[in-house]
Amino acid sequence: MLKTRVIPVLLYQQGRLVKSIRFKEHRNLGNPIQTVRIYNARNVDELVILDITKTPAGKEPEYKMIKEMARECFMPLAVGGGVRSLSIARKLFLSGADKICLNSAAIENSGLIGKISRMFGSQSVIVSIDAKKRNNHRYEVITRCGTLPTGLDSVEWAKEAERRGAGEIFLTSIDCEGAMQGFDLELIRNISTAVTIPVIAHGGAGTPLDCVEAIGAGASAIAAASIFHYTHATPQVVKQELKAAGYPTRNKL
Amino acid sequence: MKPRVAIVDYEMGNVFSLKNALEYCGALALVTRKPDELRRATHLVLPGDGAFRTGMENLKRFGLIPILEEEVLKKKRPFLGICIGMQLLAQEGTEDGIWEGLGWVKGKIVKLKGHSLRLPHVGWDDITYKENCYLFSGIPQQADFYFIHSFCFVCKERQDVIASCRYGQNFAAAIEKQNIFGTQFHPEKSQTYGLKLLKNFISC
């Protein structure tokens, strides 16, 4: 049976790992390579690394750093941040990314999802959606690390991303991110009923039970950072809780 | 002497991860499409992600098919196809039309019948393998491996399937035909058991 994935998220900014609250208040968490090594030793299901360095246009991701992290990683690695073109995606795959996360550029460059998925397969393209709650149960898509409102409805955009060739949706609630008060279950429900590709829920995990609720709301996997950095809950503890709730998870080796 | 593994470079797949994992397992691994390097290798690996059609087009474009056929079919060099690299061994692929495959293993590639299940089939899933198959020695039954695919290999000859997985339907998780092995999952991304499988492969 397919196991429910629990995915630690690493936010990378200028050579260090950070953690934010609602996309702000970045705190330093130290050395990225060391952290990847620990997660690999713990046999986590998958890792997502997002480079949130605000880079001037034209600057490319730090491929060398990605390579160093990928070398420590014998589980799937998704990399996002600054993936603006097919050639950047290609270089990331060559640097050890197994999947790439597209966010702002997927909207700003309408052909990009299709181009990358035709070349590398749709399974390697994750479309990352940062959503903010508005009135009438609507969620607006915000790009550029939570700074640029697009006017797009997140449900409509998720459907469109699937149609263009996305293999998974990485769904972040901006309102819940880093707050550790639980996921936005309505958002998860809305998006996972709208698409048939897997949805990874991100933003809000404070306790293992929060993660159980996110899966109950329709997510295929949960992704989190603060809970693993700031509490005693490890990915394994979250998986035990999921298992107790009847969701299959991968056994500890 | 260290096994010398050539990862076939046809511009498909996560070759960095694969090279990294093979080196971790003790092999000398190189990513190449140079005929002499392919011929000198003790083991060949065909990686891959993505579309069947692109995979075949690239193999043709780089003139790799005659060399691979000579090394694998004639000289019986141990060969491992991973994901699309396994699917290309089939006689045909059926994504966006009908495409001819290498035809080394009889059968065709069809889309998983998702029913209400989400596609791609992505994540860790357990497999059941036939007893006494070399590739899985030292690996427990029902071990989880990392899958990421929407299509699967329907083999004509049942005995070619050495491991199966279930996602809405049973499908081939691994195949074996003499010196030819294939895995639908990604051993290079399947941690302990995946690395064990790669070790088994490079020691054959």
Side-chain angles (χ1 to χ4, degrees):
Chain A
M1 205 185 290
L2 185 64
K3 309 303 184 293
T4 302
R5 286 170 289 160
V6 174
I7 307 171
V9 179
L10 306 179
L11 297 181
Y12 175 80
Q13 191 177 47
Q14 290 162 327
R16 58 188 190 141
L17 288 186
V18 297
K19 184 64 205 96
S20 54
I21 299 173
R22 297 186 179 91
F23 284 41
K24 291 177 186 135
E25 302 174 43
H26 296 97
R27 271 212 236 165
N28 194 349
L29 290 175
N31 183 314
I33 312 287
Q34 191 59 31
T35 307
V36 171
R37 209 172 276 155
I38 290 166
Y39 281 131
N40 185 65
R42 286 186 175 172
N43 273 307
V44 299
D45 294 333
E46 191 166 333
L47 269 185
V48 172
I49 297 175
L50 301 175
D51 185 347
I52 56 164
T53 312
K54 297 221 174 36
T55 46
K59 191 168 178 281
E60 296 202 7
E62 292 184 47
Y63 303 111
K64 204 175 149 243
M65 181 57 99
I66 304 288
K67 273 188 185 176
E68 282 179 47
M69 292 195 258
R71 208 163 270 138
E72 303 295 334
C73 221
F74 295 104
M75 70 291 217
L77 174 64
V79 180
V83 189
R84 288 184 307 272
S85 67
L86 182 64
S87 90
I88 289 176
R90 182 196 299 278
K91 285 184 212 165
L92 285 173
F93 288 124
L94 289 174
S95 305
D98 299 292
K99 311 188 227 186
I100 50 112
C101 284
L102 295 177
N103 191 318
S104 311
I107 292 176
E108 290 158 19
N109 174 354
S110 64
L112 191 59
I113 298 174
K115 267 190 208 162
I116 300 174
S117 70
R118 270 193 301 278
M119 184 72 84
F120 299 99
S122 60
Q123 83 294 326
S124 62
V125 181
I126 300 176
V127 169
S128 161
I129 299 176
D130 297 333
K132 195 156 181 47
K133 192 164 190 165
R134 301 297 191 206
N135 300 327
N136 309 321
H137 306 281
R138 281 185 75 256
Y139 290 85
E140 184 182 2
V141 180
I142 316 283
T143 58
R144 305 269 171 161
C145 295
T147 59
L148 187 66
T150 61
L152 284 172
D153 176 66
S154 58
V155 167
E156 293 311 314
W157 171 231
K159 284 192 207 166
E160 178 65 18
E162 175 176 26
R163 204 183 55 74
R164 290 185 192 172
E168 286 176 277
I169 301 282
F170 184 87
L171 179 64
T172 302
S173 155
I174 294 179
D175 310 295
C176 297
E177 196 268 340
M180 300 177 72
Q181 303 284 313
F183 289 84
D184 188 325
L185 301 177
E186 185 185 11
L187 174 66
I188 296 171
R189 228 171 269 129
N190 290 353
I191 302 292
S192 39
T193 47
V195 297
T196 65
I197 53 179
V199 174
I200 303 167
H202 175 231
T207 68
L209 273 175
D210 293 336
C211 303
V212 174
E213 286 181 344
I215 300 299
S220 295
I222 70 100
S226 301
I227 184 173
F228 302 135
H229 292 305
Y230 300 140
T231 80
H232 292 299
T234 60
Q236 191 56 34
V237 168
V238 171
K239 285 204 260 187
Q240 279 160 1
E241 200 69 44
L242 284 165
K243 196 168 229 170
Y247 300 112
T249 56
R250 195 163 64 105
N251 290 329
K252 196 176 180 180
L253 296 180
Chain B
M1 227 177 61
K2 279 188 174 185
R4 198 183 163 85
V5 185
I7 299 163
V8 180
D9 178 11
Y10 66 128
E11 295 187 349
M12 303 283 283
N14 52 344
V15 290
F16 178 96
S17 304
L18 188 53
K19 183 175 190 291
N20 191 42
L22 285 163
E23 284 170 349
Y24 182 87
C25 293
L28 267 174
L30 72 167
V31 181
T32 182
R33 54 170 167 263
K34 287 185 187 148
D36 58 322
E37 286 181 337
L38 292 171
R39 289 198 179 98
R40 272 210 309 272
T42 56
H43 297 71
L44 293 163
V45 181
L46 189 62
D49 278 319
F52 187 95
R53 180 188 174 183
T54 320
M56 276 314 284
E57 281 173 357
N58 287 7
L59 283 178
K60 283 181 194 157
R61 182 156 62 94
F62 298 124
L64 286 161
I65 297 176
I67 304 162
L68 290 176
E69 291 195 331
E70 192 189 320
E71 293 302 312
V72 179
L73 301 182
K74 273 203 191 131
K75 296 185 188 159
K76 305 287 178 197
R77 195 83 68 215
F79 172 94
L80 174 66
I82 296 172
C83 199
I84 275 287
M86 168 181 97
Q87 296 190 353
L88 292 173
L89 305 178
Q91 292 162 300
E92 62 179 42
T94 59
E95 184 178 5
D96 300 327
I98 306 278
W99 311 99
E100 197 186 8
L102 292 168
W104 298 356
V105 177
K106 282 188 185 148
K108 62 179 179 180
I109 306 306
V110 298
K111 195 163 191 175
L112 283 166
K113 293 191 255 326
H115 302 295
S116 59
L117 296 168
R118 290 177 192 271
L119 285 181
H121 172 227
V122 41
W124 297 80
D125 214 333
D126 50 287
I127 58 124
T128 307
Y129 61 81
K130 278 202 243 169
E131 287 305 324
N132 302 322
C133 61
Y134 178 74
L135 209 54
F136 290 96
S137 60
I139 295 170
Q141 286 285 9
Q142 269 70 57
D144 285 312
F145 287 92
Y146 185 77
F147 288 84
I148 180 158
H149 63 121
S150 298
F151 286 76
C152 67
F153 199 145
V154 178
C155 290
K156 223 174 215 164
E157 319 276 355
R158 272 184 85 127
Q159 70 268 23
D160 293 342
V161 180
I162 56 164
S164 63
C165 177
R166 185 165 183 83
Y167 188 66
Q169 63 179 98
N170 282 322
F171 67 90
I175 58 171
E176 177 183 337
K177 191 182 176 186
Q178 299 173 357
N179 57 317
I180 301 170
F181 300 94
T183 61
Q184 180 57 66
F185 53 84
H186 285 269
E188 77 284 6
K189 287 279 133 185
S190 295
Q191 289 170 342
T192 313
Y193 296 135
L195 295 170
K196 174 67 180 144
L197 185 144
L198 290 176
K199 265 182 212 159
N200 290 344
F201 170 69
I202 60 174
S203 21
C204 73

